[in-house]
Amino acid sequence: MFLLNTEKSKMKFMKIGTKPDTFYTQDGSRILITDSPNDLVIRINNTSYHLHRSSLVPKCGLLRRLCTDSEESDSVTIELNDIPGGADAFELCAKFCYGITINLSAHNLVDALCASKFLRMSDSVEKGNLLPKLESFFHSCVLQGWKDSIVTLQSTAKLPEWCENLGIIRKCIDSIVEKILTPTAQVSWSHTYTRPGYQKRKHHSVPRDWWTEDISDLDLDLFRCIITAARSSFTLPPQLIGEALHVYTCRWLPYFKSKSHSGFSVKENEAALERHRRVVNTVVNMIPADKGSVSEGFLLRLVSIANYVGASLTTKTELIRKAGLQLEEATLADLLLPSQSSSDHHRYDTDLVAAVLDSFLMLWRRQTSAHVSSNSQLLHSIRKVAKLIDSYLQAVSQDVHMPVPNFVSLAEAVPDIARESHDRLYKAINMYLKVVMPAYFEQSSSLVLGTNGFTLQVHPEISKEEKKRLCRSLDCQKLSAEVRAHAVKNERMPLRTVVQALFFDQESSSKGVLSQAASQVLASRGKEVPTDETSMMHKLHLGPSETASIGKAKSMREGGSQRGEDKIRSSTDPRKLVRQGTGSERKYHASRDR
């Protein structure tokens, strides 16, 4: 007799038998309280069971054969050390033979199935035997439930060969995948979903990724089988597969969510590192090829962890390639990953960002030369990445141990066409040379520093040559008027940069004054001065010869004006100004640089 719990919201269980449990333990032996003497001893490793042939032999085909082969005696001893599930699984089978109540569920079903199969407790031995009851419960109840199937599949990890031969693994996987592919409107079974901001309400629609948390409890190989089977149906979008990988990674890599720099400081033993290496390698191999199937932040974090756990070179190369494909989707927080190198004292992993940037630029140059995408799309993409890198430089510039070469290599890696403005780059360089405490730092687009700016010299040992290297990629012509004005007064900038900023600032100012004056004159005489040169000649009624003379004079005047402008520009070239500066000027700027 058995009872089934058929409520959808709970896991299924089966109760068989009606007699109370009368087993007890004495000196490492399990003994059954009964009036008749024991005549059968079953030894399983360090446990001995004192039982009765009259109760077990009729239901267990294996014991029937072993007892028949044994000589007739008052007691028979049999060793079953290789029984699947061990002593606990055997005791379930023994209790069934005595009619003692046993409770079966997804947690112990696999052990009971394999043990009853091992003992040959089939209908061919005796009608109503244990094995067919367990198989019926497995097919009609366990496989119909969501969590029952997952728990049963997880328990197969202890007996993989037995479960594979009995078809338990394949049937559980098919049941789970079938439910994953079920339309969300038809999902009625209980599932785990603990995402922040999600509240379960009556008649609330089931989220598309409802299944990802429950399968994240599975062993890595079983999880891979589920994902592979689900993807082979070609019905799940790549983003859902990516979300499942993200949930699994967070579940099995404890430092994946950690944003602090102490996330990698805990030294793990080699066994833990090997497990984490397997997780990283397997997850990377399962990431869909579709762009955007996983977020850029997930990829960058995975690259960082792959470096820490010592993942294979193939895995790290593939991760960097995937991260480079969608670098433009990254945020500044995604890039601020802690450095894990024991030889580096700086806080951030700039080598990782440089590798991903190189991968992105390689693809961008290839697309640009092949015209795979429109020029406007490629230009938008590279400029977005340039802004991101400049923001990253501003963040890492505050690290006291950040080497100049690392900073410069990142700044110079960005192509010239990518930066419409060099304001962000100037701000990063300025912050590298001098960091203003938060209470006095103006967090706006303006770069003019406060008058009471209490400053902290973060890189006090920086030399003049290193300052020049820092400013080598800075184009003062691409600075805004406000930033150029700040650069002219910035005592931390090298002399060449200050002179260039001063030159372009004056040139811009002179052009602005001339343009404003011309506009005012034209505005005041707008009704008198013709806007079109041809119409003006027509109104003056000039003949052909007079028109030609005016054109010749105009050409001579414009030529002279152009030569004069070239001469002025040559005399005010910022590079020549730096070389031709007087001795007092050099001494002044040198003392200022010091």
Side-chain angles (χ1 to χ4, degrees):
M1 177 181 180
F2 60 92
L3 299 173
L4 298 176
N5 179 4
T6 56
E7 294 182 33
K8 288 185 178 181
S9 60
K10 297 181 180 179
M11 293 183 65
K12 310 296 187 299
F13 71 89
M14 178 171 68
K15 182 184 291 186
I16 305 177
T18 58
K19 296 181 180 179
D21 188 355
T22 55
F23 273 94
Y24 70 95
T25 304
Q26 180 179 342
D27 299 330
S29 299
R30 294 286 287 168
I31 302 173
L32 182 69
I33 299 176
T34 181
D35 295 335
S36 58
N38 302 321
D39 59 356
L40 177 63
V41 178
I42 304 295
R43 290 180 178 172
I44 302 174
N45 299 320
N46 298 324
T47 305
S48 296
Y49 286 88
H50 298 267
L51 306 170
H52 305 84
R53 279 182 283 182
S54 59
S55 297
L56 272 73
V57 169
K59 291 181 171 60
C60 302
L62 177 63
L63 297 181
R64 180 183 297 181
R65 182 177 64 80
L66 294 175
C67 289
T68 303
D69 295 342
S70 302
E71 298 180 358
E72 291 291 335
S73 61
D74 293 338
S75 180
V76 177
T77 300
I78 299 174
E79 290 193 1
L80 298 178
N81 293 326
D82 54 348
I83 184 172
D88 292 338
F90 173 78
E91 187 166 321
L92 280 174
C93 297
K95 287 180 178 179
F96 170 80
C97 294
Y98 284 100
I100 296 174
T101 301
I102 58 175
N103 292 308
L104 293 161
S105 66
H107 294 282
N108 59 1
L109 176 63
V110 169
D111 288 347
L113 263 172
C114 295
S116 61
K117 185 71 175 179
F118 177 83
L119 295 171
R120 301 176 189 173
M121 302 178 70
S122 62
D123 269 345
S124 61
V125 177
E126 185 178 273
K127 292 294 183 182
N129 218 336
L130 179 59
L131 181 59
K133 292 181 184 296
L134 296 177
E135 290 176 340
S136 176
F137 176 63
F138 174 62
H139 289 96
S140 62
C141 296
V142 172
L143 292 181
Q144 304 307 312
W146 166 249
K147 290 192 175 181
D148 301 83
S149 300
I150 291 177
V151 172
T152 303
L153 180 61
Q154 180 69 345
S155 63
T156 63
K158 297 179 293 184
L159 302 167
E161 293 183 6
W162 273 91
C163 294
E164 189 66 39
N165 293 334
L166 293 176
I168 299 175
I169 295 178
R170 175 47 52 194
K171 290 173 183 177
C172 287
I173 290 176
D174 291 343
S175 172
I176 293 170
V177 172
E178 180 184 2
K179 292 174 177 58
I180 289 175
L181 301 179
T182 301
T184 55
Q186 301 176 20
V187 175
S188 58
W189 44 82
S190 175
H191 57 272
T192 304
Y193 197 81
T194 58
R195 299 297 199 287
Y198 178 80
Q199 296 179 349
K200 290 184 178 180
R201 297 191 301 269
K202 194 175 182 179
H203 306 304
H204 194 287
S205 60
V206 177
R208 294 197 309 164
D209 58 341
W210 62 267
W211 48 273
T212 55
E213 288 190 39
D214 285 323
I215 68 168
S216 69
D217 291 332
L218 292 172
D219 178 77
L220 181 61
D221 292 331
L222 297 175
F223 173 79
R224 178 176 52 80
C225 291
I226 293 289
I227 295 298
T228 302
R231 290 182 64 179
S232 64
S233 66
F234 300 103
T235 57
L236 285 182
Q239 290 75 16
L240 267 184
I241 300 294
E243 179 62 20
L245 297 177
H246 181 267
V247 172
Y248 192 85
T249 305
C250 293
R251 167 72 172 79
W252 292 98
L253 296 180
Y255 32 66
F256 187 84
K257 292 182 179 180
S258 174
K259 291 296 183 181
S260 66
H261 303 292
S262 60
F264 298 97
S265 62
V266 180
K267 292 186 178 180
E268 302 182 68
N269 55 43
E270 186 56 35
L273 285 176
E274 177 58 30
R275 287 198 305 271
H276 296 156
R277 262 195 299 271
R278 286 189 65 238
V279 171
V280 172
N281 292 333
T282 304
V283 167
V284 171
N285 290 332
M286 289 192 293
I287 295 177
D290 307 74
K291 183 179 178 181
S293 58
V294 292
S295 67
E296 177 69 1
F298 173 79
L299 291 172
L300 291 170
R301 189 70 181 163
L302 208 53
V303 175
S304 182
I305 294 176
N307 290 334
Y308 171 67
V309 301
S312 66
L313 180 61
T314 304
T315 296
K316 290 189 283 189
T317 303
E318 179 65 12
L319 269 175
I320 290 174
R321 186 190 69 82
K322 288 180 178 292
L325 282 174
Q326 50 192 82
L327 179 59
E328 61 185 292
E329 300 172 9
T331 63
L332 177 58
D334 295 334
L335 297 184
L336 294 177
L337 298 167
S339 175
Q340 293 122 42
S341 175
S342 58
S343 59
D344 295 335
H345 299 291
H346 51 275
R347 197 189 319 171
Y348 300 107
D349 196 345
T350 55
D351 293 335
L352 186 155
V353 176
V356 174
L357 177 61
D358 287 343
S359 177
F360 169 82
L361 291 174
M362 187 182 302
L363 176 65
W364 179 80
R365 292 187 181 101
R366 191 182 304 131
Q367 291 177 335
T368 302
S369 59
H371 299 289
V372 175
S373 303
S374 65
N375 291 334
S376 60
Q377 289 179 340
L378 292 173
L379 189 60
H380 173 75
S381 174
I382 193 66
R383 286 181 173 173
K384 191 174 180 180
V385 170
K387 291 179 181 178
L388 178 66
I389 295 300
D390 288 346
S391 298
Y392 179 73
L393 289 173
Q394 293 174 23
V396 301
S397 66
Q398 302 177 66
D399 183 4
V400 67
H401 297 294
M402 178 58 57
V404 173
N406 291 34
F407 188 95
V408 172
S409 62
L410 267 177
E412 294 182 345
V414 179
D416 292 338
I417 194 175
R419 290 188 175 105
E420 291 181 279
S421 169
H422 278 223
D423 286 4
R424 289 183 177 85
L425 179 59
Y426 172 83
K427 182 177 180 180
I429 296 172
N430 185 53
M431 292 174 70
Y432 190 89
L433 297 175
K434 168 192 173 182
V435 171
V436 181
M437 298 302 287
Y440 302 95
F441 188 73
E442 189 174 349
Q443 298 287 348
S444 65
S445 59
S446 172
L447 295 174
V448 180
L449 304 180
T451 54
N452 354 343
F454 170 72
T455 62
L456 174 66
Q457 191 70 30
V458 179
H459 305 276
E461 303 300 326
I462 190 169
S463 64
K464 289 178 62 177
E465 290 302 320
E466 288 176 324
K467 285 186 178 182
K468 291 180 181 178
R469 290 184 63 189
L470 281 171
C471 298
R472 189 167 55 193
S473 57
L474 188 64
D475 186 353
C476 294
Q477 195 169 6
K478 288 188 176 182
L479 297 177
S480 64
E482 183 183 11
V483 176
R484 271 201 303 266
H486 183 272
V488 169
K489 301 174 184 178
N490 196 337
E491 297 181 355
R492 286 157 299 282
M493 291 292 167
L495 176 61
R496 182 185 298 270
T497 303
V498 173
V499 172
Q500 289 177 348
L502 179 61
F503 168 74
F504 289 117
D505 189 51
Q506 291 180 346
E507 185 182 56
S508 177
S509 299
S510 62
K511 286 183 178 179
V513 171
L514 291 175
S515 175
Q516 185 178 5
S519 300
Q520 291 176 352
V521 171
L522 290 177
S524 61
R525 301 178 60 188
K527 297 181 179 180
E528 302 175 7
V529 181
T531 56
D532 183 74
E533 186 179 19
T534 305
S535 62
M536 181 181 66
M537 291 182 181
H538 177 71
K539 289 181 179 180
L540 292 175
H541 304 286
L542 300 178
S545 58
E546 294 171 314
T547 303
S549 300
I550 291 177
K552 185 176 180 180
K554 179 183 177 184
S555 300
M556 293 176 62
R557 184 171 63 253
E558 289 179 349
S561 175
Q562 181 66 36
R563 286 192 299 273
E565 287 179 5
D566 292 341
K567 185 174 181 181
I568 293 173
R569 186 174 291 107
S570 175
S571 63
T572 57
D573 188 346
R575 292 183 293 273
K576 293 183 179 181
L577 283 174
V578 173
R579 291 194 298 267
Q580 296 173 4
T582 63
S584 60
E585 288 175 338
R586 291 196 186 95
K587 185 181 297 183
Y588 169 72
H589 287 291
S591 64
R592 223 178 49 164
D593 287 340
R594 285 198 296 270

